[in-house]
Amino acid sequence: LQRMLSIAVEVDKSPNCSSCKIADAIFPFILNIPLRSQREAFLNTMESQLLRCKLLELLFQHSCDVPTTLPLCLAKILYFLSHSSVLLPYEDETAAWQRWDEMLQYLSLLLMSYQNVILAFSLAEHLRSSLNDRMDLIIQKAKPKLQDGDDISHLDIQLNVERFISRMQQVLGQPFPQQIMEKLHMLR
């Protein structure tokens, strides 16, 4: 399945457009995957970084009370950190902190996938371009185009992390489980 999805993204002249269409079609099924382990297995085994970005972006947009109109960029990922709620329905026995832990896991996965699509200095740097155009970009040693929202400061990061911690304190109380703090530190 993952190989077929990757090929489906690549065969289109515009991988960006085809990944959006495929993500829109797959998204309702992601919402109905019952277990975290199954959701993580599906998302972690995706061969197409671009498709993974689109699916995770839809997932976070779905979890925001006020969705943002920013294109996918670092500023949007920070927005998701401070505005997303628990992402998916959970089994009754799942502790509240585990729901937040899953959200942080997916946010880290979104950030890594986004970096692979936009910022990596390899063949992956041009994943938004068609296969034909990609070869020309590699030959020209073209640098990937950054979005306007990719220029974020340490202060932006700090403020959004503090907002996230404040929201978690309201829901979970203190102290936070070590696992949450480690994921937050890694994301930062």
Side-chain angles (χ1 to χ4, degrees):
L1 173 66
Q2 296 295 9
R3 186 71 188 133
M4 288 171 36
L5 290 172
S6 180
I7 291 169
V9 167
E10 293 294 334
V11 295
D12 197 290
K13 185 171 173 85
S14 171
N16 208 30
C17 184
S18 62
S19 63
C20 287
K21 290 177 188 174
I22 294 168
D24 286 340
I26 293 175
F27 181 66
F29 298 104
I30 298 287
L31 291 177
N32 290 317
I33 296 175
L35 300 174
R36 176 181 178 175
S37 60
Q38 293 170 331
R39 289 186 293 270
E40 285 182 359
F42 179 76
L43 291 167
N44 287 332
T45 59
M46 291 202 97
E47 290 185 20
S48 173
Q49 297 288 328
L50 186 57
L51 181 57
R52 182 184 305 161
C53 278
K54 298 295 182 182
L55 277 171
L56 288 168
E57 181 181 10
L58 284 174
L59 193 61
F60 280 104
Q61 282 283 74
H62 178 73
S63 74
C64 288
D65 291 334
V66 180
T68 178
T69 58
L70 286 170
L72 185 57
C73 59
L74 295 177
K76 188 171 193 173
I77 293 172
L78 280 179
Y79 180 87
F80 289 153
L81 176 66
S82 58
H83 292 88
S84 291
S85 60
V86 175
L87 297 172
L88 299 167
Y90 294 90
E91 306 82 38
D92 291 337
E93 68 273 0
T94 302
W97 74 268
Q98 290 175 314
R99 298 172 187 174
W100 290 92
D101 181 65
E102 183 176 9
M103 185 190 98
L104 286 174
Q105 178 71 29
Y106 293 154
L107 201 57
S108 294
L109 188 59
L110 175 60
L111 180 60
M112 288 186 298
S113 297
Y114 179 70
Q115 286 177 325
N116 283 333
V117 170
I118 298 297
L119 303 174
F121 297 105
S122 65
L123 180 61
E125 72 179 317
H126 304 293
L127 287 179
R128 288 184 171 178
S129 306
S130 68
L131 283 172
N132 294 335
D133 296 340
R134 219 177 279 172
M135 289 308 294
D136 293 336
L137 292 169
I138 291 169
I139 291 167
Q140 297 168 7
K141 296 183 180 175
K143 296 292 181 200
K145 294 179 184 173
L146 298 179
Q147 304 286 332
D148 290 337
D150 285 332
D151 187 23
I152 58 172
S153 69
H154 290 288
L155 180 61
D156 295 330
I157 296 168
Q158 186 62 33
L159 291 174
N160 282 281
V161 167
E162 287 172 6
R163 269 190 227 128
F164 176 77
I165 289 172
S166 173
R167 285 188 315 129
M168 275 190 35
Q169 284 174 338
Q170 291 174 355
V171 174
L172 299 178
Q174 286 202 26
F176 298 138
Q178 184 63 28
Q179 193 173 355
I180 294 271
M181 294 311 293
E182 288 172 3
K183 280 196 171 81
L184 194 55
H185 180 71
M186 181 181 76
L187 187 63
R188 190 182 296 176

mmCIF file of all heavy atoms in Angstrom, residues 24-60:
data_model
loop_
_atom_site.group_PDB
_atom_site.id
_atom_site.type_symbol
_atom_site.label_atom_id
_atom_site.label_comp_id
_atom_site.label_asym_id
_atom_site.label_seq_id
_atom_site.Cartn_x
_atom_site.Cartn_y
_atom_site.Cartn_z
ATOM 1 N N ASP A 24 -6.594 13.941 0.990
ATOM 2 C CA ASP A 24 -8.023 14.191 1.210
ATOM 3 C C ASP A 24 -8.833 12.899 1.167
ATOM 4 O O ASP A 24 -9.787 12.731 1.931
ATOM 5 C CB ASP A 24 -8.569 15.170 0.165
ATOM 6 C CG ASP A 24 -8.123 16.605 0.407
ATOM 7 O OD1 ASP A 24 -7.729 16.924 1.551
ATOM 8 O OD2 ASP A 24 -8.159 17.410 -0.547
ATOM 9 N N ALA A 25 -8.435 11.978 0.278
ATOM 10 C CA ALA A 25 -9.158 10.706 0.157
ATOM 11 C C ALA A 25 -8.860 9.761 1.331
ATOM 12 O O ALA A 25 -9.747 9.041 1.790
ATOM 13 C CB ALA A 25 -8.791 10.026 -1.161
ATOM 14 N N ILE A 26 -7.628 9.789 1.828
ATOM 15 C CA ILE A 26 -7.214 8.870 2.900
ATOM 16 C C ILE A 26 -7.619 9.377 4.281
ATOM 17 O O ILE A 26 -7.865 8.587 5.194
ATOM 18 C CB ILE A 26 -5.686 8.663 2.856
ATOM 19 C CG1 ILE A 26 -5.284 7.911 1.602
ATOM 20 C CG2 ILE A 26 -5.186 7.902 4.069
ATOM 21 C CD1 ILE A 26 -3.776 7.785 1.437
ATOM 22 N N PHE A 27 -7.684 10.678 4.456
ATOM 23 C CA PHE A 27 -7.879 11.274 5.767
ATOM 24 C C PHE A 27 -9.044 10.686 6.571
ATOM 25 O O PHE A 27 -8.872 10.378 7.762
ATOM 26 C CB PHE A 27 -8.015 12.792 5.647
ATOM 27 C CG PHE A 27 -8.187 13.471 6.962
ATOM 28 C CD1 PHE A 27 -7.162 13.463 7.896
ATOM 29 C CD2 PHE A 27 -9.373 14.105 7.296
ATOM 30 C CE1 PHE A 27 -7.307 14.081 9.122
ATOM 31 C CE2 PHE A 27 -9.528 14.720 8.511
ATOM 32 C CZ PHE A 27 -8.492 14.718 9.432
ATOM 33 N N PRO A 28 -10.238 10.508 5.994
ATOM 34 C CA PRO A 28 -11.330 9.925 6.800
ATOM 35 C C PRO A 28 -10.992 8.537 7.356
ATOM 36 O O PRO A 28 -11.450 8.183 8.439
ATOM 37 C CB PRO A 28 -12.502 9.841 5.810
ATOM 38 C CG PRO A 28 -12.184 10.840 4.747
ATOM 39 C CD PRO A 28 -10.691 10.886 4.653
ATOM 40 N N PHE A 29 -10.186 7.781 6.642
ATOM 41 C CA PHE A 29 -9.806 6.456 7.124
ATOM 42 C C PHE A 29 -8.827 6.554 8.299
ATOM 43 O O PHE A 29 -8.878 5.739 9.216
ATOM 44 C CB PHE A 29 -9.207 5.619 5.990
ATOM 45 C CG PHE A 29 -10.193 5.376 4.871
ATOM 46 C CD1 PHE A 29 -10.101 6.081 3.687
ATOM 47 C CD2 PHE A 29 -11.234 4.468 5.028
ATOM 48 C CE1 PHE A 29 -11.021 5.875 2.664
ATOM 49 C CE2 PHE A 29 -12.155 4.255 4.017
ATOM 50 C CZ PHE A 29 -12.052 4.965 2.829
ATOM 51 N N ILE A 30 -7.950 7.565 8.267
ATOM 52 C CA ILE A 30 -7.013 7.775 9.376
ATOM 53 C C ILE A 30 -7.791 8.057 10.662
ATOM 54 O O ILE A 30 -7.451 7.562 11.726
ATOM 55 C CB ILE A 30 -6.058 8.960 9.082
ATOM 56 C CG1 ILE A 30 -5.191 8.699 7.863
ATOM 57 C CG2 ILE A 30 -5.200 9.305 10.294
ATOM 58 C CD1 ILE A 30 -4.106 7.708 8.070
ATOM 59 N N LEU A 31 -8.836 8.853 10.541
ATOM 60 C CA LEU A 31 -9.646 9.188 11.712
ATOM 61 C C LEU A 31 -10.299 7.954 12.326
ATOM 62 O O LEU A 31 -10.624 7.951 13.516
ATOM 63 C CB LEU A 31 -10.736 10.202 11.344
ATOM 64 C CG LEU A 31 -10.268 11.607 10.986
ATOM 65 C CD1 LEU A 31 -11.457 12.470 10.579
ATOM 66 C CD2 LEU A 31 -9.497 12.244 12.120
ATOM 67 N N ASN A 32 -10.503 6.910 11.528
ATOM 68 C CA ASN A 32 -11.184 5.713 12.018
ATOM 69 C C ASN A 32 -10.245 4.583 12.410
ATOM 70 O O ASN A 32 -10.717 3.497 12.761
ATOM 71 C CB ASN A 32 -12.180 5.219 10.968
ATOM 72 C CG ASN A 32 -13.353 6.165 10.846
ATOM 73 O OD1 ASN A 32 -13.883 6.643 11.842
ATOM 74 N ND2 ASN A 32 -13.737 6.475 9.623
ATOM 75 N N ILE A 33 -8.934 4.792 12.354
ATOM 76 C CA ILE A 33 -8.001 3.761 12.826
ATOM 77 C C ILE A 33 -8.108 3.733 14.345
ATOM 78 O O ILE A 33 -7.871 4.750 15.005
ATOM 79 C CB ILE A 33 -6.554 4.043 12.363
ATOM 80 C CG1 ILE A 33 -6.467 3.967 10.835
ATOM 81 C CG2 ILE A 33 -5.586 3.053 13.006
ATOM 82 C CD1 ILE A 33 -5.107 4.337 10.266
ATOM 83 N N PRO A 34 -8.469 2.580 14.923
ATOM 84 C CA PRO A 34 -8.826 2.563 16.345
ATOM 85 C C PRO A 34 -7.661 2.668 17.332
ATOM 86 O O PRO A 34 -7.832 3.206 18.411
ATOM 87 C CB PRO A 34 -9.540 1.219 16.508
ATOM 88 C CG PRO A 34 -9.011 0.370 15.411
ATOM 89 C CD PRO A 34 -8.683 1.294 14.275
ATOM 90 N N LEU A 35 -6.487 2.154 16.995
ATOM 91 C CA LEU A 35 -5.401 2.106 17.963
ATOM 92 C C LEU A 35 -4.239 3.013 17.575
ATOM 93 O O LEU A 35 -3.900 3.132 16.391
ATOM 94 C CB LEU A 35 -4.872 0.671 18.108
ATOM 95 C CG LEU A 35 -5.867 -0.381 18.584
ATOM 96 C CD1 LEU A 35 -5.245 -1.751 18.533
ATOM 97 C CD2 LEU A 35 -6.348 -0.052 19.991
ATOM 98 N N ARG A 36 -3.625 3.604 18.572
ATOM 99 C CA ARG A 36 -2.465 4.463 18.337
ATOM 100 C C ARG A 36 -1.363 3.702 17.616
ATOM 101 O O ARG A 36 -0.742 4.229 16.688
ATOM 102 C CB ARG A 36 -1.944 5.023 19.665
ATOM 103 C CG ARG A 36 -0.690 5.852 19.511
ATOM 104 C CD ARG A 36 -0.181 6.382 20.822
ATOM 105 N NE ARG A 36 1.048 7.127 20.618
ATOM 106 C CZ ARG A 36 1.670 7.776 21.565
ATOM 107 N NH1 ARG A 36 1.188 7.795 22.801
ATOM 108 N NH2 ARG A 36 2.784 8.425 21.304
ATOM 109 N N SER A 37 -1.104 2.490 18.030
ATOM 110 C CA SER A 37 -0.034 1.702 17.403
ATOM 111 C C SER A 37 -0.293 1.496 15.913
ATOM 112 O O SER A 37 0.632 1.524 15.103
ATOM 113 C CB SER A 37 0.131 0.354 18.107
ATOM 114 O OG SER A 37 -1.073 -0.389 18.042
ATOM 115 N N GLN A 38 -1.561 1.328 15.543
ATOM 116 C CA GLN A 38 -1.899 1.154 14.129
ATOM 117 C C GLN A 38 -1.737 2.459 13.361
ATOM 118 O O GLN A 38 -1.245 2.469 12.232
ATOM 119 C CB GLN A 38 -3.333 0.641 13.993
ATOM 120 C CG GLN A 38 -3.532 -0.752 14.527
ATOM 121 C CD GLN A 38 -4.997 -1.143 14.611
ATOM 122 O OE1 GLN A 38 -5.879 -0.298 14.793
ATOM 123 N NE2 GLN A 38 -5.264 -2.437 14.480
ATOM 124 N N ARG A 39 -2.150 3.578 13.968
ATOM 125 C CA ARG A 39 -1.975 4.884 13.322
ATOM 126 C C ARG A 39 -0.489 5.177 13.124
ATOM 127 O O ARG A 39 -0.063 5.617 12.050
ATOM 128 C CB ARG A 39 -2.619 5.999 14.158
ATOM 129 C CG ARG A 39 -4.128 5.984 14.156
ATOM 130 C CD ARG A 39 -4.702 7.191 14.868
ATOM 131 N NE ARG A 39 -4.445 7.198 16.296
ATOM 132 C CZ ARG A 39 -5.253 6.659 17.216
ATOM 133 N NH1 ARG A 39 -6.371 6.058 16.848
ATOM 134 N NH2 ARG A 39 -4.958 6.726 18.491
ATOM 135 N N GLU A 40 0.300 4.937 14.165
ATOM 136 C CA GLU A 40 1.739 5.197 14.077
ATOM 137 C C GLU A 40 2.397 4.301 13.037
ATOM 138 O O GLU A 40 3.263 4.760 12.290
ATOM 139 C CB GLU A 40 2.402 5.023 15.432
ATOM 140 C CG GLU A 40 2.116 6.165 16.372
ATOM 141 C CD GLU A 40 2.812 6.048 17.707
ATOM 142 O OE1 GLU A 40 3.537 5.055 17.944
ATOM 143 O OE2 GLU A 40 2.646 6.967 18.532
ATOM 144 N N ALA A 41 1.992 3.039 12.980
ATOM 145 C CA ALA A 41 2.568 2.133 11.985
ATOM 146 C C ALA A 41 2.264 2.628 10.575
ATOM 147 O O ALA A 41 3.145 2.638 9.706
ATOM 148 C CB ALA A 41 2.033 0.713 12.178
ATOM 149 N N PHE A 42 1.052 3.072 10.349
ATOM 150 C CA PHE A 42 0.682 3.567 9.029
ATOM 151 C C PHE A 42 1.488 4.813 8.669
ATOM 152 O O PHE A 42 2.054 4.907 7.581
ATOM 153 C CB PHE A 42 -0.819 3.868 8.969
ATOM 154 C CG PHE A 42 -1.267 4.395 7.637
ATOM 155 C CD1 PHE A 42 -1.402 3.542 6.557
ATOM 156 C CD2 PHE A 42 -1.535 5.745 7.458
ATOM 157 C CE1 PHE A 42 -1.806 4.027 5.314
ATOM 158 C CE2 PHE A 42 -1.935 6.239 6.228
ATOM 159 C CZ PHE A 42 -2.067 5.376 5.152
ATOM 160 N N LEU A 43 1.559 5.764 9.574
ATOM 161 C CA LEU A 43 2.253 7.023 9.288
ATOM 162 C C LEU A 43 3.769 6.852 9.226
ATOM 163 O O LEU A 43 4.434 7.463 8.394
ATOM 164 C CB LEU A 43 1.879 8.082 10.327
ATOM 165 C CG LEU A 43 0.435 8.562 10.245
ATOM 166 C CD1 LEU A 43 0.057 9.366 11.483
ATOM 167 C CD2 LEU A 43 0.200 9.375 8.982
ATOM 168 N N ASN A 44 4.332 6.021 10.094
ATOM 169 C CA ASN A 44 5.790 5.827 10.114
ATOM 170 C C ASN A 44 6.303 5.055 8.909
ATOM 171 O O ASN A 44 7.479 5.180 8.561
ATOM 172 C CB ASN A 44 6.222 5.126 11.402
ATOM 173 C CG ASN A 44 6.144 6.033 12.604
ATOM 174 O OD1 ASN A 44 6.279 7.244 12.505
ATOM 175 N ND2 ASN A 44 5.898 5.441 13.764
ATOM 176 N N THR A 45 5.468 4.260 8.289
ATOM 177 C CA THR A 45 5.926 3.465 7.143
ATOM 178 C C THR A 45 5.647 4.130 5.800
ATOM 179 O O THR A 45 5.937 3.546 4.762
ATOM 180 C CB THR A 45 5.273 2.059 7.148
ATOM 181 O OG1 THR A 45 3.854 2.198 7.099
ATOM 182 C CG2 THR A 45 5.690 1.262 8.372
ATOM 183 N N MET A 46 5.124 5.346 5.826
ATOM 184 C CA MET A 46 4.844 6.037 4.563
ATOM 185 C C MET A 46 6.144 6.293 3.815
ATOM 186 O O MET A 46 7.097 6.820 4.372
ATOM 187 C CB MET A 46 4.139 7.364 4.801
ATOM 188 C CG MET A 46 2.741 7.191 5.307
ATOM 189 S SD MET A 46 1.742 8.628 4.980
ATOM 190 C CE MET A 46 0.959 8.067 3.492
ATOM 191 N N GLU A 47 6.181 5.924 2.554
ATOM 192 C CA GLU A 47 7.360 6.151 1.724
ATOM 193 C C GLU A 47 7.408 7.575 1.204
ATOM 194 O O GLU A 47 8.481 8.111 0.965
ATOM 195 C CB GLU A 47 7.382 5.169 0.556
ATOM 196 C CG GLU A 47 7.657 3.747 0.982
ATOM 197 C CD GLU A 47 7.787 2.804 -0.204
ATOM 198 O OE1 GLU A 47 8.036 3.267 -1.331
ATOM 199 O OE2 GLU A 47 7.629 1.602 0.017
ATOM 200 N N SER A 48 6.271 8.188 1.015
ATOM 201 C CA SER A 48 6.212 9.547 0.488
ATOM 202 C C SER A 48 6.189 10.555 1.634
ATOM 203 O O SER A 48 5.201 10.680 2.353
ATOM 204 C CB SER A 48 4.969 9.736 -0.387
ATOM 205 O OG SER A 48 4.838 11.094 -0.750
ATOM 206 N N GLN A 49 7.300 11.279 1.796
ATOM 207 C CA GLN A 49 7.374 12.299 2.836
ATOM 208 C C GLN A 49 6.344 13.402 2.591
ATOM 209 O O GLN A 49 5.753 13.932 3.528
ATOM 210 C CB GLN A 49 8.782 12.916 2.858
ATOM 211 C CG GLN A 49 9.879 11.945 3.202
ATOM 212 C CD GLN A 49 9.874 11.541 4.658
ATOM 213 O OE1 GLN A 49 9.514 12.318 5.526
ATOM 214 N NE2 GLN A 49 10.260 10.311 4.924
ATOM 215 N N LEU A 50 6.139 13.724 1.323
ATOM 216 C CA LEU A 50 5.187 14.776 0.969
ATOM 217 C C LEU A 50 3.767 14.375 1.356
ATOM 218 O O LEU A 50 3.019 15.167 1.937
ATOM 219 C CB LEU A 50 5.277 15.071 -0.526
ATOM 220 C CG LEU A 50 4.463 16.237 -1.060
ATOM 221 C CD1 LEU A 50 4.813 17.538 -0.349
ATOM 222 C CD2 LEU A 50 4.682 16.384 -2.562
ATOM 223 N N LEU A 51 3.392 13.142 1.068
ATOM 224 C CA LEU A 51 2.058 12.662 1.436
ATOM 225 C C LEU A 51 1.907 12.609 2.957
ATOM 226 O O LEU A 51 0.857 12.975 3.495
ATOM 227 C CB LEU A 51 1.797 11.291 0.812
ATOM 228 C CG LEU A 51 0.428 10.673 1.079
ATOM 229 C CD1 LEU A 51 -0.692 11.601 0.617
ATOM 230 C CD2 LEU A 51 0.320 9.318 0.383
ATOM 231 N N ARG A 52 2.955 12.198 3.662
ATOM 232 C CA ARG A 52 2.907 12.173 5.124
ATOM 233 C C ARG A 52 2.681 13.592 5.654
ATOM 234 O O ARG A 52 1.884 13.797 6.565
ATOM 235 C CB ARG A 52 4.189 11.599 5.705
ATOM 236 C CG ARG A 52 4.128 11.520 7.229
ATOM 237 C CD ARG A 52 5.410 11.053 7.841
ATOM 238 N NE ARG A 52 5.818 9.791 7.297
ATOM 239 C CZ ARG A 52 7.062 9.317 7.381
ATOM 240 N NH1 ARG A 52 7.999 10.016 7.996
ATOM 241 N NH2 ARG A 52 7.369 8.159 6.862
ATOM 242 N N CYS A 53 3.379 14.562 5.092
ATOM 243 C CA CYS A 53 3.184 15.961 5.499
ATOM 244 C C CYS A 53 1.731 16.378 5.324
ATOM 245 O O CYS A 53 1.135 16.988 6.211
ATOM 246 C CB CYS A 53 4.064 16.889 4.668
ATOM 247 S SG CYS A 53 5.752 17.028 5.218
ATOM 248 N N LYS A 54 1.172 16.062 4.166
ATOM 249 C CA LYS A 54 -0.208 16.477 3.875
ATOM 250 C C LYS A 54 -1.205 15.816 4.828
ATOM 251 O O LYS A 54 -2.139 16.456 5.307
ATOM 252 C CB LYS A 54 -0.581 16.149 2.430
ATOM 253 C CG LYS A 54 0.251 16.867 1.398
ATOM 254 C CD LYS A 54 0.044 18.349 1.431
ATOM 255 C CE LYS A 54 0.863 19.026 0.355
ATOM 256 N NZ LYS A 54 0.749 20.470 0.362
ATOM 257 N N LEU A 55 -1.005 14.526 5.111
ATOM 258 C CA LEU A 55 -1.916 13.827 6.024
ATOM 259 C C LEU A 55 -1.827 14.389 7.440
ATOM 260 O O LEU A 55 -2.850 14.626 8.091
ATOM 261 C CB LEU A 55 -1.602 12.331 6.039
ATOM 262 C CG LEU A 55 -2.217 11.518 4.923
ATOM 263 C CD1 LEU A 55 -1.662 10.103 4.923
ATOM 264 C CD2 LEU A 55 -3.732 11.487 5.050
ATOM 265 N N LEU A 56 -0.607 14.609 7.908
ATOM 266 C CA LEU A 56 -0.445 15.150 9.252
ATOM 267 C C LEU A 56 -0.962 16.583 9.339
ATOM 268 O O LEU A 56 -1.556 16.974 10.353
ATOM 269 C CB LEU A 56 1.024 15.065 9.675
ATOM 270 C CG LEU A 56 1.514 13.651 9.986
ATOM 271 C CD1 LEU A 56 3.025 13.613 10.116
ATOM 272 C CD2 LEU A 56 0.843 13.095 11.233
ATOM 273 N N GLU A 57 -0.768 17.340 8.274
ATOM 274 C CA GLU A 57 -1.303 18.701 8.241
ATOM 275 C C GLU A 57 -2.830 18.666 8.351
ATOM 276 O O GLU A 57 -3.427 19.432 9.116
ATOM 277 C CB GLU A 57 -0.879 19.404 6.955
ATOM 278 C CG GLU A 57 -1.355 20.821 6.841
ATOM 279 C CD GLU A 57 -0.943 21.488 5.528
ATOM 280 O OE1 GLU A 57 -0.450 20.799 4.610
ATOM 281 O OE2 GLU A 57 -1.136 22.705 5.433
ATOM 282 N N LEU A 58 -3.478 17.772 7.618
ATOM 283 C CA LEU A 58 -4.936 17.634 7.709
ATOM 284 C C LEU A 58 -5.368 17.217 9.116
ATOM 285 O O LEU A 58 -6.363 17.716 9.648
ATOM 286 C CB LEU A 58 -5.437 16.603 6.696
ATOM 287 C CG LEU A 58 -5.509 17.035 5.243
ATOM 288 C CD1 LEU A 58 -5.879 15.846 4.353
ATOM 289 C CD2 LEU A 58 -6.506 18.167 5.057
ATOM 290 N N LEU A 59 -4.614 16.311 9.696
ATOM 291 C CA LEU A 59 -4.925 15.829 11.039
ATOM 292 C C LEU A 59 -4.867 16.969 12.053
ATOM 293 O O LEU A 59 -5.775 17.128 12.877
ATOM 294 C CB LEU A 59 -3.941 14.717 11.415
ATOM 295 C CG LEU A 59 -4.248 13.880 12.624
ATOM 296 C CD1 LEU A 59 -5.564 13.142 12.459
ATOM 297 C CD2 LEU A 59 -3.121 12.885 12.854
ATOM 298 N N PHE A 60 -3.828 17.789 11.963
ATOM 299 C CA PHE A 60 -3.712 18.910 12.894
ATOM 300 C C PHE A 60 -4.728 20.011 12.596
ATOM 301 O O PHE A 60 -5.280 20.607 13.522
ATOM 302 C CB PHE A 60 -2.285 19.464 12.904
ATOM 303 C CG PHE A 60 -1.358 18.635 13.744
ATOM 304 C CD1 PHE A 60 -0.448 17.782 13.153
ATOM 305 C CD2 PHE A 60 -1.410 18.687 15.125
ATOM 306 C CE1 PHE A 60 0.396 17.007 13.924
ATOM 307 C CE2 PHE A 60 -0.573 17.912 15.911
ATOM 308 C CZ PHE A 60 0.339 17.067 15.312
#
